[in-house]
């Protein structure tokens, strides 16, 4: 059964009952960490529920945001979420593959973000919509990197979140194309656990790299200070 209950944030709500991937920790971390400065044009690759784009719209009030989503139902629901938000005039989601989007695309973006699919084909489940969201046979890392670079200008940034092993693969491809890491964030469930996710920020500029560890919980099992500070403008629980 679908769950019609929306996920409520402080300034907006996200319905996600028709999306294979619900609002989760990866998305809210990417939405709260990605980007620097004052980007005017933002692209999200694979919008899902639209939550990352909505968070970026809240953080960057001068930005116009475009999102690309291959799954029709996710695109429809994300578009509805955007229309019901305070930033409906600055967000536009399109229904197509990222590969098709890049063809004859002349616009360059200040900030590009993605929570890309990362599971190999042989680990597929019986849910085709979830497979589309999670498996990289529809968007390989090579296609992702080539597309991102085609949409870059000299000062653009690309940010992504992935598990550590998959991020190593993406990082090698990015670096091989001349991109540099300027921000690296390691995400753990708590300080004693292994790294669950890595968020990297890439650009062509030669910045000194900033690195940070964030634990979602502290050693007592409560939300950590870093996590609550990061999300206090978004999540009702803080």
């Amino acid at each position: 059964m679908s769950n019609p209950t929306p996920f409520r944030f402080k300034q907006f709500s996200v319905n996600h009952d028709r999306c294979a991937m619900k609002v989760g920790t990866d998305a809210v971390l990417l939405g709260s960490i990605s980007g620097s400065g004052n980007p005017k044009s933002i692209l999200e690759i694979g919008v899902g529920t639209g939550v990352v784009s909505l968070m970026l719209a809240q953080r960057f009030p001068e930005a116009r945001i475009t999102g690309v989503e291959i799954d029709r139902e996710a695109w429809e629901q994300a578009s509805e979420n955007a229309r019901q938000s305070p930033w409906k005039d600055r967000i536009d989601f399109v229904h197509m593959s990222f590969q098709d989007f890049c063809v004859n695309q002349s616009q360059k973006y200040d900030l590009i973000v993605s929570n890309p699919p990362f599971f190999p084909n042989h680990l597929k489940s019986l849910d085709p919509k979830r497979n589309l969201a999670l498996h990289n046979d529809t968007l390989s890392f090579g296609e992702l990197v080539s597309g991102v670079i085609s949409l870059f200008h000299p000062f653009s940034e690309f940010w992504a979140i992935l598990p550590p092993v998959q991020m190593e693969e993406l990082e090698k491809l990015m670096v091989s194309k001349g991109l540099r890491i300027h921000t690296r964030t390691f995400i753990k469930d708590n300080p004693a656990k292994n790294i669950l996710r890595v968020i990297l920020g890439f650009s062509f500029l030669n910045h000194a790299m900033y690195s940070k560890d964030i634990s979602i919980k502290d050693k007592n099992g409560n939300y950590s200070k870093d996590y609550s500070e990061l999300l206090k403008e978004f999540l009702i629980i803080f």
Side-chain angles (χ1 to χ4, degrees):
M1 292 179 63
S2 64
N3 179 9
T5 304
F7 193 108
R8 301 191 185 281
F9 292 80
K10 288 183 176 178
Q11 295 192 37
F12 61 93
S13 293
V14 174
N15 287 290
H16 52 177
D17 56 295
R18 288 151 51 201
C19 297
M21 300 303 295
K22 312 306 180 188
V23 174
T25 303
D26 286 12
V28 297
L29 284 168
L30 185 66
S32 61
I33 290 175
S34 297
S36 62
N38 186 26
K40 301 296 196 301
S41 58
I42 299 175
L43 174 69
E44 183 183 5
I45 304 166
V47 300
T49 64
V51 62
V52 175
S53 287
L54 288 164
M55 293 176 74
L56 293 173
Q58 179 179 330
R59 288 178 56 211
F60 300 115
E62 297 182 30
R64 297 199 65 84
I65 299 167
T66 302
V68 182
E69 175 55 55
I70 193 172
D71 180 75
R72 174 169 288 276
E73 283 199 272
W75 165 69
E76 289 175 348
Q77 186 151 62
S79 297
E80 291 168 6
N81 289 331
R83 285 194 296 269
Q84 293 166 7
S85 77
W87 314 288
K88 61 183 179 181
D89 296 332
R90 295 195 285 116
I91 302 175
D92 180 38
F93 296 144
V94 295
H95 175 228
M96 64 177 64
S97 70
F98 179 56
Q99 296 93 325
D100 288 343
F101 178 81
C102 291
V103 174
N104 300 321
Q105 177 63 245
S106 60
Q107 180 171 353
K108 309 301 180 183
Y109 293 89
D110 298 336
L111 172 62
I112 303 175
V113 302
S114 185
N115 179 5
F118 56 82
F119 284 132
N121 183 61
H122 67 273
L123 294 176
K124 284 190 172 181
S125 73
L126 297 177
D127 183 347
K129 290 171 65 64
R130 190 170 175 84
N131 288 334
L132 196 63
L134 286 174
H135 292 267
N136 62 10
D137 51 316
T138 55
L139 178 62
S140 70
F141 284 171
E143 291 170 319
L144 175 65
V145 171
S146 295
V148 165
I149 290 174
S150 74
L151 302 172
F152 256 34
H153 58 64
F155 304 104
S156 299
E157 294 183 354
F158 173 64
W159 293 67
I161 183 169
L162 283 168
V165 172
Q166 288 81 2
M167 186 58 89
E168 285 184 17
E169 181 183 348
L170 181 64
E171 179 182 341
K172 288 177 183 176
L173 288 170
M174 284 288 184
V175 171
S176 74
K177 299 296 184 179
L179 284 146
R180 301 169 181 267
I181 300 167
H182 58 75
T183 306
R184 187 191 304 269
T185 306
F186 296 111
I187 309 298
K188 297 181 177 182
D189 182 59
N190 67 58
K193 297 289 187 179
N194 293 328
I195 296 168
L196 290 175
R197 294 289 188 269
V198 182
I199 299 175
L200 293 185
F202 298 90
S203 76
F204 283 122
L205 301 177
N206 188 17
H207 294 296
M209 188 175 70
Y210 171 77
S211 186
K212 184 177 179 64
D213 292 357
I214 293 178
S215 295
I216 297 171
K217 304 284 184 66
D218 61 23
K219 63 182 180 180
N220 298 316
N222 302 311
Y223 285 115
S224 71
K225 181 179 179 180
D226 283 345
Y227 188 72
S228 58
E229 280 292 313
L230 190 63
L231 294 169
K232 68 180 182 181
E233 300 300 320
F234 300 101
L235 296 186
I236 294 172
I237 58 174
F238 299 129

